[in-house]
Amino acid sequence: MSDFVDRVTVHVKGGDGGNGSAGIRREKYKPLAGPNGGNGGDGGSVIFVADRNATSLLDYRFMPHRTAASGTMGLGDNKDGSKGEDLILPVPCGTIVFAAKGAQGQSKRPGEELADLRHEGDRYVAAAGGAGGLGNIALANRTRRAPGFALLGELGEERDVILELKSIADVALVGFPSAGKSSLIAAMSAAKPKIADYPFTTLVPNLGVVVAGDRRYTIADVPGLIPGASQGKGLGLEFLRHIERTEIIAHVIDCATLEPDRDPISDYEALEHELAEYAGSLELPLGAIPIPERPRIIILNKVDVPEAKELAEFVKPEFEKRGMRVFIISTASHEGLKELNFALADLVGKMREEVARREAAEEEARVVIKPLEQKGRRRRVADENGTALDFTIERKENGNGDFWFEVIGRKPERWVQQTNFDNDEAVGYLADRLAKLGVEDELRRKGAKPGDEIRIGRGDRAVEFDWDPTIAAGGELLDGTPIGARGTDLRLEADAPGARRRTNAERRREYYAMMDAKAAVREAMMAERQAGHWADPSIDDDRHDENSLFGRGESVDDGNTGDSGERQE
């Protein structure tokens, strides 16, 4: 089984943001000293980074689901949650990131190109982490002094991407099957490709590092090509893309083939035709040299066979007339390999300088337009009527006659994710935000009526509810009477008792007033007792009175006294 993987589908998800805290600070003599809930931590992001130490995408074939760490929730005492750690995923240089297209449960196909990680250290954020929710201390203001809620953290971005590896090598060895490409790369480098005497032995590209004096370059052994490869025949397009990033194309031609309809010239022309057909459909990266303009060299192989050597000597002048350098070699006897090695090193050095010059020129020629940054200005999109809005509202219907209004916009979708719908105050806060943004006015303009179904967002993250434009954000009594603005606590009002801390003099005055009041009550009670206006309830004056505190309703026994000596009436 091959362990080279050059295209995989990866499901990436950024970490969720932590929830904010709705904590309340408490102090001595001050049961509600104000909000002190901290913010939630941001979630980590999934980031692809080009790394020269990564050689294939095999790890993502076995572990296609990658999730970054989530942020932690905020705490009381104004403690913010910690940020989730970013998930750094190394990929080989030359990896292209595509958006995955396809229905759920079906194989994905590449869509829009998202990033081209060509150089060491190139980065792409594939799935951004969610923002942490604000705590109630961040939501407090002059009118909302004690918020009893906090915002929830946003969910991390989640999607499928396709990673496609286009090998970055200095020299690409192309040729018919069994032309000796694997033998050549094994003779010139430390690579150990599979070598056998049957076609299509090489099923995956092989990379080898070649040293020529103090210079180093890489060779890519592209699997054997045949006529029709640009239309997908043979291994076809599966590996033709690996020559897109190479700077030099080396034709390895088998001069010892026994097939009657093949010769070095026809082999070269057939492969050049396939390369030209394939190059016509390419979109080359910035500064890249088009395939037809890249230098070619001809490598006539297997000249250890006498007939092959004669044929190589015969066709060499024909290739030189076309302006190409020709090398006659044998991978079995290593004839001509030293000259080929140093010639390739010189050509690679020149091409590297040319590519660097082209990239610099393209970068300088590019015009980058950046919008002016103005504080306080919001980015808006124009709807079909030309009005500037931060959102769009459309009336949707299904085949059953049901309808709803769909609200799409970055702000409304983010706000509903941050709302705790179990908290009435948080729901009222959301209603105020949507009304201030203009959602309610736009719903009325679109014909929405109270009770109609409203959906904010799309897909699994959409929130559905019945529209109630009269919803109040402030607290209400049981009879519906509002008690104040949202988040208002009567204990924090300036004229409310306990709103501020009393001084020692005020405490002494209040204490003395309380003691004087108690003494006055005791004196009044004693005067009433002495005047007989009221009796001590602990004394049972009349046991026969059923209405008395201790009355038992006993019968009257005239002239007799009880055993206890009490007078009987």
Side-chain angles (χ1 to χ4, degrees):
M1 179 181 292
S2 171
D3 60 353
F4 184 88
V5 177
D6 60 352
R7 177 181 287 179
V8 293
T9 301
V10 185
H11 181 82
V12 292
K13 182 183 183 303
D16 299 335
N19 298 335
S21 172
I24 297 296
R25 184 172 68 254
R26 290 173 174 82
E27 300 177 0
K28 188 177 181 181
Y29 307 118
K30 204 170 185 181
L32 186 97
N36 71 343
N39 302 329
D42 296 338
S45 301
V46 180
I47 304 174
F48 290 110
V49 180
D51 187 354
R52 292 192 179 276
N53 294 324
T55 57
S56 76
L57 304 174
L58 183 64
D59 292 343
Y60 305 103
R61 171 66 59 83
F62 296 110
M63 296 180 62
H65 293 265
R66 301 300 179 101
T67 304
S70 298
T72 60
M73 68 174 298
L75 302 175
D77 200 16
N78 198 19
K79 295 180 180 178
D80 294 339
S82 59
K83 182 182 182 301
E85 186 177 357
D86 292 336
L87 181 61
I88 306 298
L89 301 177
V91 294
C93 295
T95 300
I96 299 180
V97 184
F98 294 94
K101 297 178 61 177
Q104 185 71 22
Q106 299 181 358
S107 59
K108 305 292 184 178
R109 62 184 186 276
E112 177 188 1
E113 180 178 326
L114 303 176
D116 187 355
L117 308 179
R118 300 177 57 199
H119 305 100
E120 173 81 11
D122 288 351
R123 300 163 62 92
Y124 174 68
V125 179
L134 296 179
N136 60 352
I137 192 171
L139 298 173
N141 53 32
R142 295 181 61 184
T143 59
R144 191 192 313 113
R145 303 180 62 190
F149 68 98
L151 299 184
L152 304 180
E154 295 182 33
L155 299 178
E157 188 179 2
E158 185 175 7
R159 62 175 172 176
D160 292 331
V161 297
I162 292 179
L163 304 180
E164 184 177 286
L165 174 60
K166 297 182 179 179
S167 302
I168 294 182
D170 298 306
V171 181
L173 302 180
V174 298
F176 275 72
S178 299
K181 300 183 297 299
S182 298
S183 300
L184 178 59
I185 196 173
M188 296 183 65
S189 69
K192 303 297 181 183
K194 180 180 179 180
I195 300 174
D197 58 351
Y198 55 85
F200 296 109
T201 305
T202 302
L203 298 178
V204 298
N206 297 305
L207 291 177
V209 179
V210 183
V211 179
D214 57 350
R215 292 169 292 182
R216 295 164 61 94
Y217 61 94
T218 57
I219 294 181
D221 170 19
V222 180
L225 303 178
I226 60 175
S230 59
Q231 282 75 41
K233 291 184 179 180
L235 296 177
L237 299 176
E238 188 68 19
F239 297 109
L240 262 175
R241 62 174 175 267
H242 288 279
I243 70 171
E244 293 181 17
R245 306 298 177 85
T246 58
E247 300 163 357
I248 301 170
I249 297 178
H251 284 272
V252 181
I253 298 176
D254 183 7
C255 292
T257 181
L258 300 178
E259 298 181 23
D261 56 344
R262 285 180 53 190
D263 62 80
I265 301 297
S266 63
D267 285 359
Y268 166 76
E269 291 177 346
L271 293 182
E272 279 295 324
H273 174 74
E274 297 302 323
L275 292 177
E277 290 289 329
Y278 180 69
S281 60
L282 290 182
E283 293 183 4
L284 296 176
L286 184 68
I289 301 176
I291 290 181
E293 300 178 13
R294 296 177 191 177
R296 267 75 163 165
I297 64 171
I298 304 299
I299 301 176
L300 303 177
N301 193 17
K302 301 183 181 181
V303 296
D304 53 293
V305 178
E307 294 81 358
K309 189 175 182 62
E310 293 180 3
L311 180 59
E313 295 291 348
F314 177 76
V315 298
K316 180 179 179 181
E318 182 65 25
F319 286 112
E320 291 177 342
K321 290 180 182 179
R322 304 187 182 192
M324 290 176 289
R325 300 183 63 179
V326 182
F327 296 89
I328 299 176
I329 67 164
S330 170
T331 56
S333 62
H334 288 201
E335 177 184 348
L337 292 186
K338 185 175 181 180
E339 293 80 2
L340 175 63
N341 186 4
F342 282 92
L344 287 176
D346 293 337
L347 190 56
V348 166
K350 296 178 181 179
M351 292 306 299
R352 287 176 178 175
E353 295 177 359
E354 176 65 17
V355 170
R357 185 189 64 78
R358 290 196 177 203
E359 289 183 352
E362 290 289 343
E363 282 287 351
E364 186 177 353
R366 283 201 308 171
V367 177
V368 179
I369 301 176
K370 296 182 179 180
L372 296 177
E373 296 183 0
Q374 298 182 12
K375 289 187 177 182
R377 296 198 60 178
R378 298 182 296 181
R379 297 179 60 185
R380 292 172 172 251
V381 294
D383 64 3
E384 65 275 8
N385 295 327
T387 58
L389 299 172
D390 291 292
F391 56 89
T392 58
I393 298 179
E394 296 182 6
R395 190 179 188 273
K396 302 283 187 177
E397 294 185 9
N398 56 18
N400 300 327
D402 299 331
F403 69 92
W404 64 91
F405 291 89
E406 185 180 68
V407 182
I408 301 298
R410 183 173 179 273
K411 288 184 178 181
E413 293 179 37
R414 186 178 77 247
W415 290 347
V416 295
Q417 290 185 19
Q418 295 174 335
T419 301
N420 178 12
F421 288 93
D422 295 331
N423 188 306
D424 293 338
E425 191 178 356
V427 175
Y429 178 68
L430 172 63
D432 281 356
R433 300 177 85 179
L434 295 177
K436 185 177 180 181
L437 188 64
V439 174
E440 289 194 353
D441 294 338
E442 186 66 13
L443 284 172
R444 292 190 182 94
R445 195 175 70 85
K446 293 288 186 178
K449 299 179 180 179
D452 288 346
E453 182 180 348
I454 306 298
R455 297 182 184 179
I456 299 181
R458 293 174 179 166
D460 298 336
R461 298 187 179 183
V463 176
E464 304 177 7
F465 57 90
D466 294 334
W467 186 40
D468 183 6
T470 62
I471 185 171
E476 296 180 352
L477 298 176
L478 296 179
D479 60 356
T481 304
I483 61 175
R486 174 182 50 250
T488 299
D489 195 292
L490 296 179
R491 290 172 292 182
L492 296 181
E493 296 299 325
D495 55 350
R500 64 181 184 85
R501 193 167 183 174
R502 298 171 296 171
T503 63
N504 291 335
E506 291 174 339
R507 291 194 182 94
R508 283 193 295 269
R509 285 195 297 268
E510 292 176 4
Y511 174 75
Y512 293 147
M514 180 185 66
M515 297 305 293
D516 293 342
K518 288 182 177 180
V521 170
R522 284 194 296 268
E523 291 176 358
M525 292 174 62
M526 183 59 67
E528 290 179 358
R529 166 176 275 191
Q530 291 175 355
H533 294 307
W534 63 283
D536 189 350
S538 62
I539 300 176
D540 189 2
D541 294 331
D542 188 356
R543 296 184 300 174
H544 310 291
D545 186 3
E546 294 180 354
N547 297 323
S548 67
L549 184 61
F550 297 100
R552 292 180 289 231
E554 296 181 359
S555 60
V556 179
D557 186 5
D558 295 338
N560 295 324
T561 59
D563 296 338
S564 61
E566 296 180 353
R567 181 173 60 83
Q568 301 292 329
E569 297 182 358

